[in-house]
Amino acid sequence: MEPTIGEQLARIRRQSSLTQEQLAERSGVSVEVIQKLEQGRRKGARIPTLNRLARALEVPTSALFGDASSAAADREPHARPLSLVGIRRALTPVAGLDGELMALDLTESQLTLAAAEQAVADANRSYYANDYATTLRTLPALLAQVRALASVGVGDDQLAAHAVAADAHQVAGQLLIQLRQVDLAHVALTSAFNHACASGRRTVEASVICSLTWLTLRQGRFTEAERLAVQTADQVEPRLSTASAEEVSAWGWLLLRGAAAAARDARDDAAAEMLALADAGARRLASRAPTVGGFTTHEVRVMQVEAAVIAGQPDRALELSAGALRQPGQVSTATWQRHRLDVASARVQLGQYAGATEVLVDLRDRAPAWLRQQRYARDIVQSITEGRRRAMSTELAELAALVGCTS
């Protein structure tokens, strides 16, 4: 595992036989900052800070670069741009006139196809477990390795390698959306789609399109997002009586993405129509053995709640969310967390600020890394702080600090 910035700094400082106080005096960087970096209480540092430290240590600034994945996951203000150097290098390598890629280290042993599938599954698992730091730390080398695997394979093995590469780049794109790096996410998902097309698997292509639709939604491009989802859903629409679970799921997820876009574009009838179609597909799958996080009627219900919140129908949203959706387990963790934000938003619309705060506190206790990245959570906390009649509670103040709320 790559050393952190603080670990690099401590190692080089000791090699230079300098105390922390002496380094602070030479560099003009406070002892407190040096201590926080070396002790891991601060994971990231700005380049000007590292430049001053490097000059005092008589080493290149890049010698102090290290793993800052945790800083990115925690949205540390000192993290950029170093926290994303590894994944930027993997997704946007630069080349010279001879076409040779710069700073792309492929010295690690190449993965077999089976090992690559497992590594991507592990990255996907850590992402959905809200362990963004681990996912970000493992992705750069993994992306390079799956691309290399796809480039040397032949026949069916190459098609399978492209499918794995598509999955890996899709995980990267989803993570970068959560980290609010939408332009870099577009690069990752474009690569995912190219690999998906090369794999010849329509369900893989449809899955990547779902993520591209999500990205387009996050950019406020509602018309494009709906059109992309609906057009793709039409192209992959299965015969429900004979289609595989994978085919029905791919189609259903596209309909949910389309409904999300239509709801945000104030096209409630279109959203309701897509949700009705998605519900029919989910009910067809109900007799099979769905896995948690798969396409189910519960996923459709979550989207119905979201559409009601967006349409300003908080009573209906809370009615729809009652019962089975009050506890996680029937939908993926990420879906359930996003759903609970909708519940909090509905309570804010009804002036139930204590109830909304209770929902947010529960999310903070369950998934602080995830909640920290949610702009939606920040907006809800902002609404609570502006609408409350009493002084801000300790819990609300802690929530505001976590999500970056200014009031």
Side-chain angles (χ1 to χ4, degrees), residues 146-179:
V146 294
R147 280 202 300 267
L149 194 62
S151 68
V152 300
V154 294
D156 290 343
D157 282 349
Q158 185 175 49
L159 297 179
H162 277 297
V164 173
D167 290 342
H169 285 82
Q170 187 173 7
V171 174
Q174 292 171 331
L175 174 64
L176 289 163
I177 292 173
Q178 291 286 18
L179 297 179

mmCIF file of all heavy atoms in Angstrom, residues 146-179:
data_model
loop_
_atom_site.group_PDB
_atom_site.id
_atom_site.type_symbol
_atom_site.label_atom_id
_atom_site.label_comp_id
_atom_site.label_asym_id
_atom_site.label_seq_id
_atom_site.Cartn_x
_atom_site.Cartn_y
_atom_site.Cartn_z
ATOM 1 N N VAL A 146 -6.854 -3.899 -15.661
ATOM 2 C CA VAL A 146 -7.951 -4.456 -16.469
ATOM 3 C C VAL A 146 -7.869 -3.961 -17.907
ATOM 4 O O VAL A 146 -8.235 -4.685 -18.845
ATOM 5 C CB VAL A 146 -9.329 -4.136 -15.851
ATOM 6 C CG1 VAL A 146 -9.501 -4.840 -14.523
ATOM 7 C CG2 VAL A 146 -9.577 -2.646 -15.728
ATOM 8 N N ARG A 147 -7.378 -2.756 -18.104
ATOM 9 C CA ARG A 147 -7.185 -2.285 -19.489
ATOM 10 C C ARG A 147 -6.122 -3.110 -20.189
ATOM 11 O O ARG A 147 -6.265 -3.472 -21.368
ATOM 12 C CB ARG A 147 -6.802 -0.801 -19.492
ATOM 13 C CG ARG A 147 -7.970 0.155 -19.324
ATOM 14 C CD ARG A 147 -7.643 1.536 -19.864
ATOM 15 N NE ARG A 147 -6.501 2.113 -19.170
ATOM 16 C CZ ARG A 147 -6.596 2.908 -18.100
ATOM 17 N NH1 ARG A 147 -7.784 3.180 -17.587
ATOM 18 N NH2 ARG A 147 -5.522 3.405 -17.550
ATOM 19 N N ALA A 148 -5.038 -3.404 -19.461
ATOM 20 C CA ALA A 148 -3.983 -4.232 -20.049
ATOM 21 C C ALA A 148 -4.510 -5.627 -20.363
ATOM 22 O O ALA A 148 -4.193 -6.204 -21.417
ATOM 23 C CB ALA A 148 -2.793 -4.320 -19.083
ATOM 24 N N LEU A 149 -5.336 -6.154 -19.482
ATOM 25 C CA LEU A 149 -5.909 -7.483 -19.690
ATOM 26 C C LEU A 149 -6.778 -7.510 -20.942
ATOM 27 O O LEU A 149 -6.725 -8.447 -21.734
ATOM 28 C CB LEU A 149 -6.738 -7.868 -18.464
ATOM 29 C CG LEU A 149 -7.163 -9.324 -18.313
ATOM 30 C CD1 LEU A 149 -5.953 -10.237 -18.194
ATOM 31 C CD2 LEU A 149 -8.053 -9.475 -17.078
ATOM 32 N N ALA A 150 -7.567 -6.457 -21.141
ATOM 33 C CA ALA A 150 -8.440 -6.401 -22.317
ATOM 34 C C ALA A 150 -7.648 -6.228 -23.607
ATOM 35 O O ALA A 150 -8.078 -6.679 -24.671
ATOM 36 C CB ALA A 150 -9.443 -5.261 -22.163
ATOM 37 N N SER A 151 -6.478 -5.598 -23.509
ATOM 38 C CA SER A 151 -5.698 -5.330 -24.721
ATOM 39 C C SER A 151 -4.936 -6.546 -25.228
ATOM 40 O O SER A 151 -4.588 -6.624 -26.412
ATOM 41 C CB SER A 151 -4.710 -4.182 -24.464
ATOM 42 O OG SER A 151 -3.696 -4.588 -23.546
ATOM 43 N N VAL A 152 -4.677 -7.537 -24.354
ATOM 44 C CA VAL A 152 -3.878 -8.687 -24.772
ATOM 45 C C VAL A 152 -4.706 -9.955 -24.950
ATOM 46 O O VAL A 152 -4.217 -10.943 -25.478
ATOM 47 C CB VAL A 152 -2.741 -8.967 -23.761
ATOM 48 C CG1 VAL A 152 -1.822 -7.762 -23.661
ATOM 49 C CG2 VAL A 152 -3.302 -9.322 -22.383
ATOM 50 N N GLY A 153 -5.965 -9.919 -24.499
ATOM 51 C CA GLY A 153 -6.793 -11.106 -24.602
ATOM 52 C C GLY A 153 -7.189 -11.414 -26.039
ATOM 53 O O GLY A 153 -7.089 -10.565 -26.926
ATOM 54 N N VAL A 154 -7.658 -12.626 -26.254
ATOM 55 C CA VAL A 154 -8.142 -13.024 -27.579
ATOM 56 C C VAL A 154 -9.452 -13.786 -27.418
ATOM 57 O O VAL A 154 -9.718 -14.410 -26.390
ATOM 58 C CB VAL A 154 -7.111 -13.926 -28.317
ATOM 59 C CG1 VAL A 154 -5.855 -13.140 -28.645
ATOM 60 C CG2 VAL A 154 -6.778 -15.161 -27.482
ATOM 61 N N GLY A 155 -10.285 -13.682 -28.442
ATOM 62 C CA GLY A 155 -11.521 -14.454 -28.459
ATOM 63 C C GLY A 155 -12.444 -14.137 -27.303
ATOM 64 O O GLY A 155 -12.616 -12.988 -26.902
ATOM 65 N N ASP A 156 -13.050 -15.173 -26.747
ATOM 66 C CA ASP A 156 -14.010 -15.002 -25.661
ATOM 67 C C ASP A 156 -13.363 -14.395 -24.417
ATOM 68 O O ASP A 156 -14.005 -13.651 -23.676
ATOM 69 C CB ASP A 156 -14.650 -16.348 -25.300
ATOM 70 C CG ASP A 156 -15.587 -16.851 -26.375
ATOM 71 O OD1 ASP A 156 -16.000 -16.035 -27.239
ATOM 72 O OD2 ASP A 156 -15.914 -18.061 -26.364
ATOM 73 N N ASP A 157 -12.077 -14.717 -24.195
ATOM 74 C CA ASP A 157 -11.388 -14.161 -23.032
ATOM 75 C C ASP A 157 -11.277 -12.640 -23.157
ATOM 76 O O ASP A 157 -11.398 -11.919 -22.161
ATOM 77 C CB ASP A 157 -9.993 -14.766 -22.888
ATOM 78 C CG ASP A 157 -10.045 -16.162 -22.290
ATOM 79 O OD1 ASP A 157 -11.118 -16.559 -21.796
ATOM 80 O OD2 ASP A 157 -9.016 -16.860 -22.344
ATOM 81 N N GLN A 158 -11.042 -12.158 -24.358
ATOM 82 C CA GLN A 158 -10.950 -10.712 -24.541
ATOM 83 C C GLN A 158 -12.307 -10.030 -24.328
ATOM 84 O O GLN A 158 -12.395 -8.963 -23.714
ATOM 85 C CB GLN A 158 -10.418 -10.370 -25.932
ATOM 86 C CG GLN A 158 -10.185 -8.870 -26.126
ATOM 87 C CD GLN A 158 -9.549 -8.537 -27.450
ATOM 88 O OE1 GLN A 158 -10.015 -9.027 -28.485
ATOM 89 N NE2 GLN A 158 -8.501 -7.730 -27.454
ATOM 90 N N LEU A 159 -13.373 -10.658 -24.816
ATOM 91 C CA LEU A 159 -14.709 -10.108 -24.601
ATOM 92 C C LEU A 159 -15.016 -10.036 -23.105
ATOM 93 O O LEU A 159 -15.559 -9.042 -22.610
ATOM 94 C CB LEU A 159 -15.759 -10.959 -25.318
ATOM 95 C CG LEU A 159 -15.655 -11.039 -26.845
ATOM 96 C CD1 LEU A 159 -16.765 -11.936 -27.395
ATOM 97 C CD2 LEU A 159 -15.751 -9.649 -27.462
ATOM 98 N N ALA A 160 -14.666 -11.103 -22.388
ATOM 99 C CA ALA A 160 -14.896 -11.123 -20.945
ATOM 100 C C ALA A 160 -14.043 -10.068 -20.242
ATOM 101 O O ALA A 160 -14.495 -9.432 -19.278
ATOM 102 C CB ALA A 160 -14.584 -12.504 -20.390
ATOM 103 N N ALA A 161 -12.814 -9.877 -20.722
ATOM 104 C CA ALA A 161 -11.928 -8.874 -20.121
ATOM 105 C C ALA A 161 -12.485 -7.470 -20.328
ATOM 106 O O ALA A 161 -12.399 -6.620 -19.430
ATOM 107 C CB ALA A 161 -10.525 -8.984 -20.718
ATOM 108 N N HIS A 162 -13.063 -7.219 -21.499
ATOM 109 C CA HIS A 162 -13.684 -5.913 -21.733
ATOM 110 C C HIS A 162 -14.869 -5.703 -20.792
ATOM 111 O O HIS A 162 -15.088 -4.589 -20.301
ATOM 112 C CB HIS A 162 -14.139 -5.791 -23.186
ATOM 113 C CG HIS A 162 -13.054 -5.386 -24.139
ATOM 114 N ND1 HIS A 162 -12.410 -4.165 -24.036
ATOM 115 C CD2 HIS A 162 -12.505 -6.026 -25.220
ATOM 116 C CE1 HIS A 162 -11.510 -4.065 -25.019
ATOM 117 N NE2 HIS A 162 -11.547 -5.176 -25.738
ATOM 118 N N ALA A 163 -15.627 -6.746 -20.521
ATOM 119 C CA ALA A 163 -16.756 -6.626 -19.591
ATOM 120 C C ALA A 163 -16.259 -6.286 -18.189
ATOM 121 O O ALA A 163 -16.850 -5.446 -17.485
ATOM 122 C CB ALA A 163 -17.567 -7.922 -19.575
ATOM 123 N N VAL A 164 -15.171 -6.921 -17.764
ATOM 124 C CA VAL A 164 -14.588 -6.629 -16.453
ATOM 125 C C VAL A 164 -14.058 -5.200 -16.415
ATOM 126 O O VAL A 164 -14.244 -4.478 -15.426
ATOM 127 C CB VAL A 164 -13.462 -7.627 -16.131
ATOM 128 C CG1 VAL A 164 -12.729 -7.217 -14.851
ATOM 129 C CG2 VAL A 164 -14.022 -9.033 -15.980
ATOM 130 N N ALA A 165 -13.408 -4.787 -17.498
ATOM 131 C CA ALA A 165 -12.895 -3.412 -17.565
ATOM 132 C C ALA A 165 -14.036 -2.411 -17.513
ATOM 133 O O ALA A 165 -13.925 -1.344 -16.887
ATOM 134 C CB ALA A 165 -12.076 -3.220 -18.838
ATOM 135 N N ALA A 166 -15.155 -2.733 -18.157
ATOM 136 C CA ALA A 166 -16.332 -1.861 -18.097
ATOM 137 C C ALA A 166 -16.828 -1.724 -16.671
ATOM 138 O O ALA A 166 -17.142 -0.622 -16.199
ATOM 139 C CB ALA A 166 -17.439 -2.405 -19.002
ATOM 140 N N ASP A 167 -16.889 -2.845 -15.964
ATOM 141 C CA ASP A 167 -17.351 -2.825 -14.574
ATOM 142 C C ASP A 167 -16.415 -1.989 -13.702
ATOM 143 O O ASP A 167 -16.867 -1.217 -12.839
ATOM 144 C CB ASP A 167 -17.437 -4.246 -14.020
ATOM 145 C CG ASP A 167 -18.575 -5.048 -14.631
ATOM 146 O OD1 ASP A 167 -19.495 -4.433 -15.206
ATOM 147 O OD2 ASP A 167 -18.532 -6.294 -14.542
ATOM 148 N N ALA A 168 -15.105 -2.141 -13.907
ATOM 149 C CA ALA A 168 -14.133 -1.404 -13.095
ATOM 150 C C ALA A 168 -14.254 0.099 -13.321
ATOM 151 O O ALA A 168 -14.252 0.894 -12.370
ATOM 152 C CB ALA A 168 -12.713 -1.875 -13.421
ATOM 153 N N HIS A 169 -14.366 0.494 -14.581
ATOM 154 C CA HIS A 169 -14.493 1.919 -14.881
ATOM 155 C C HIS A 169 -15.839 2.472 -14.409
ATOM 156 O O HIS A 169 -15.951 3.650 -14.066
ATOM 157 C CB HIS A 169 -14.308 2.165 -16.377
ATOM 158 C CG HIS A 169 -12.879 2.071 -16.819
ATOM 159 N ND1 HIS A 169 -12.254 0.870 -17.099
ATOM 160 C CD2 HIS A 169 -11.946 3.035 -17.026
ATOM 161 C CE1 HIS A 169 -10.997 1.107 -17.460
ATOM 162 N NE2 HIS A 169 -10.789 2.414 -17.417
ATOM 163 N N GLN A 170 -16.860 1.611 -14.385
ATOM 164 C CA GLN A 170 -18.151 2.059 -13.877
ATOM 165 C C GLN A 170 -18.083 2.324 -12.376
ATOM 166 O O GLN A 170 -18.647 3.313 -11.883
ATOM 167 C CB GLN A 170 -19.234 1.030 -14.178
ATOM 168 C CG GLN A 170 -20.642 1.514 -13.831
ATOM 169 C CD GLN A 170 -21.717 0.550 -14.284
ATOM 170 O OE1 GLN A 170 -21.425 -0.550 -14.743
ATOM 171 N NE2 GLN A 170 -22.963 0.955 -14.157
ATOM 172 N N VAL A 171 -17.400 1.464 -11.634
ATOM 173 C CA VAL A 171 -17.208 1.711 -10.207
ATOM 174 C C VAL A 171 -16.481 3.043 -10.011
ATOM 175 O O VAL A 171 -16.850 3.852 -9.147
ATOM 176 C CB VAL A 171 -16.414 0.568 -9.543
ATOM 177 C CG1 VAL A 171 -16.088 0.915 -8.090
ATOM 178 C CG2 VAL A 171 -17.191 -0.734 -9.603
ATOM 179 N N ALA A 172 -15.451 3.284 -10.828
ATOM 180 C CA ALA A 172 -14.714 4.544 -10.729
ATOM 181 C C ALA A 172 -15.627 5.734 -11.001
ATOM 182 O O ALA A 172 -15.582 6.743 -10.282
ATOM 183 C CB ALA A 172 -13.544 4.539 -11.710
ATOM 184 N N GLY A 173 -16.462 5.613 -12.034
ATOM 185 C CA GLY A 173 -17.368 6.705 -12.350
ATOM 186 C C GLY A 173 -18.360 6.974 -11.238
ATOM 187 O O GLY A 173 -18.616 8.134 -10.876
ATOM 188 N N GLN A 174 -18.909 5.924 -10.660
ATOM 189 C CA GLN A 174 -19.872 6.096 -9.571
ATOM 190 C C GLN A 174 -19.220 6.737 -8.351
ATOM 191 O O GLN A 174 -19.803 7.616 -7.707
ATOM 192 C CB GLN A 174 -20.473 4.739 -9.198
ATOM 193 C CG GLN A 174 -21.375 4.157 -10.283
ATOM 194 C CD GLN A 174 -21.779 2.721 -9.991
ATOM 195 O OE1 GLN A 174 -21.059 1.980 -9.347
ATOM 196 N NE2 GLN A 174 -22.944 2.329 -10.475
ATOM 197 N N LEU A 175 -18.010 6.286 -8.029
ATOM 198 C CA LEU A 175 -17.297 6.865 -6.900
ATOM 199 C C LEU A 175 -17.029 8.354 -7.124
ATOM 200 O O LEU A 175 -17.231 9.183 -6.230
ATOM 201 C CB LEU A 175 -15.979 6.126 -6.679
ATOM 202 C CG LEU A 175 -15.049 6.721 -5.613
ATOM 203 C CD1 LEU A 175 -15.697 6.642 -4.233
ATOM 204 C CD2 LEU A 175 -13.699 6.012 -5.612
ATOM 205 N N LEU A 176 -16.601 8.704 -8.324
ATOM 206 C CA LEU A 176 -16.272 10.095 -8.623
ATOM 207 C C LEU A 176 -17.514 10.981 -8.624
ATOM 208 O O LEU A 176 -17.440 12.159 -8.272
ATOM 209 C CB LEU A 176 -15.540 10.169 -9.971
ATOM 210 C CG LEU A 176 -14.115 9.607 -9.922
ATOM 211 C CD1 LEU A 176 -13.595 9.327 -11.322
ATOM 212 C CD2 LEU A 176 -13.189 10.562 -9.174
ATOM 213 N N ILE A 177 -18.659 10.419 -8.982
ATOM 214 C CA ILE A 177 -19.906 11.185 -8.859
ATOM 215 C C ILE A 177 -20.152 11.505 -7.385
ATOM 216 O O ILE A 177 -20.504 12.638 -7.033
ATOM 217 C CB ILE A 177 -21.094 10.402 -9.455
ATOM 218 C CG1 ILE A 177 -20.953 10.276 -10.972
ATOM 219 C CG2 ILE A 177 -22.410 11.106 -9.125
ATOM 220 C CD1 ILE A 177 -21.996 9.368 -11.609
ATOM 221 N N GLN A 178 -19.973 10.517 -6.515
ATOM 222 C CA GLN A 178 -20.172 10.737 -5.093
ATOM 223 C C GLN A 178 -19.194 11.782 -4.563
ATOM 224 O O GLN A 178 -19.531 12.570 -3.668
ATOM 225 C CB GLN A 178 -20.007 9.436 -4.311
ATOM 226 C CG GLN A 178 -21.106 8.426 -4.541
ATOM 227 C CD GLN A 178 -22.406 8.796 -3.845
ATOM 228 O OE1 GLN A 178 -22.614 9.939 -3.455
ATOM 229 N NE2 GLN A 178 -23.295 7.835 -3.698
ATOM 230 N N LEU A 179 -17.974 11.797 -5.104
ATOM 231 C CA LEU A 179 -16.959 12.752 -4.659
ATOM 232 C C LEU A 179 -17.096 14.096 -5.359
ATOM 233 O O LEU A 179 -16.257 14.978 -5.202
ATOM 234 C CB LEU A 179 -15.557 12.178 -4.904
ATOM 235 C CG LEU A 179 -15.206 10.904 -4.137
ATOM 236 C CD1 LEU A 179 -13.804 10.428 -4.481
ATOM 237 C CD2 LEU A 179 -15.350 11.102 -2.633
#
